[in-house]
Amino acid sequence: MLTATYTLVALSVEQANIRVSLQSFQKYVQATLLRQHGMSLNQLEFAYESLNRLYQACHWRKIEMYLIPAIRQATQQADQLLEELGRLNDTALNVIRSLQEQVAKSQRDNEACGEEIAERIDDFCDSMLNRLDKEEKELFNLARSTIGGEAWFAIANQFLLHDAHVAEARRCRGALPAPAEQLLLAEPDDNVIDLVPVLAALPVAMPDDELETSIPVSELQYQRRASARRAMME
């Protein structure tokens, strides 16, 4: 089952990238924001944007687009596990929604936020990290035992086409920086170096027609302040 091995190795690399991003951001929040008595609007806006980017990176993983659909088609044994993964995802999504609502409220009332915001961010990271662990320890094993050889070959082929499509899309766009890199490069600041491992490690292997698309977290929208790129360092 060389094809299955190749596929799971590729997914493990993707998982590792996401884990580094989540752990780095969580560590930064614990080391800085949790020590503050409040969070400024700039910090809140930047925290929301960072979490939304992390959530999107998790959402557009190959495991979501290709492996989970193949498992659903191959067996019903995964239904309970997939429900558990869905609940963890919902917990993270609710954190993003609460932060988005808090951004709108803070912009309207021009007020700082309490330390509970940092605790919510910590909850988001914990939920997504728990999901990654369950996927690697349980979902991958289930995939090995339930997905047949032809299905593995189809998944691997989808991976290759996917990567080629994304690479071509980037080439046609003139090798523009990935969204995370754009965020870091927009307004250089020596202090922003602490955030490089957090956002630069995010995978950007998304379908071409989704590269510019945000996950519809809620109906609320806001305009990010120009200084928000440095907000977390205040």
Side-chain angles (χ1 to χ4, degrees), residues 24-193:
S24 298
F25 190 71
Q26 185 178 40
K27 181 178 179 181
Y28 181 80
V29 169
Q30 291 172 343
T32 55
L33 299 184
L34 284 176
R35 296 180 180 179
Q36 299 178 186
H37 296 295
M39 183 185 296
S40 69
L41 176 56
N42 281 345
Q43 289 176 317
L44 179 62
E45 288 175 339
F46 192 86
Y48 165 76
E49 180 177 282
S50 299
L51 281 195
N52 193 37
R53 199 175 295 285
L54 283 165
Y55 179 82
Q56 291 185 47
C58 291
H59 181 83
W60 293 115
R61 289 175 300 151
K62 294 186 180 79
I63 189 173
E64 289 274 11
M65 293 186 287
Y66 306 120
L67 186 67
I68 288 179
I71 292 176
R72 289 187 186 277
Q73 186 173 0
T75 181
Q76 295 181 346
Q77 297 177 27
D79 289 353
Q80 182 176 350
L81 176 57
L82 293 176
E83 287 179 6
E84 293 177 13
L85 297 179
R87 285 193 291 271
L88 290 170
N89 187 79
D90 289 343
T91 298
L93 184 57
N94 287 336
V95 171
I96 295 181
R97 285 174 172 156
S98 69
L99 259 66
Q100 195 172 39
E101 292 169 358
Q102 187 64 56
V103 166
K105 182 177 184 298
S106 297
Q107 286 181 333
R108 182 180 64 250
D109 301 335
N110 194 28
E111 63 179 20
C113 306
E115 64 181 16
E116 72 276 2
I117 298 296
E119 294 174 356
R120 289 184 213 168
I121 296 173
D122 202 42
D123 290 341
F124 170 93
C125 294
D126 282 341
S127 295
M128 298 312 295
L129 288 170
N130 286 338
R131 171 164 182 158
L132 292 177
D133 287 341
K134 278 188 168 293
E135 288 171 346
E136 293 179 3
K137 295 176 181 178
E138 301 179 41
L139 193 67
F140 283 11
N141 288 334
L142 189 59
R144 288 189 186 95
S145 63
T146 58
I147 297 178
E150 292 186 3
W152 280 118
F153 181 82
I155 294 171
N157 189 52
Q158 287 176 317
F159 281 19
L160 293 174
L161 292 174
H162 175 103
D163 292 342
H165 185 59
V166 171
E168 178 64 16
R170 289 179 182 166
R171 187 187 67 78
C172 293
R173 293 178 190 211
L176 289 175
E181 293 166 343
Q182 290 174 343
L183 189 62
L184 292 170
L185 297 175
E187 291 183 10
D189 188 326
D190 291 340
N191 291 329
V192 90
I193 189 67

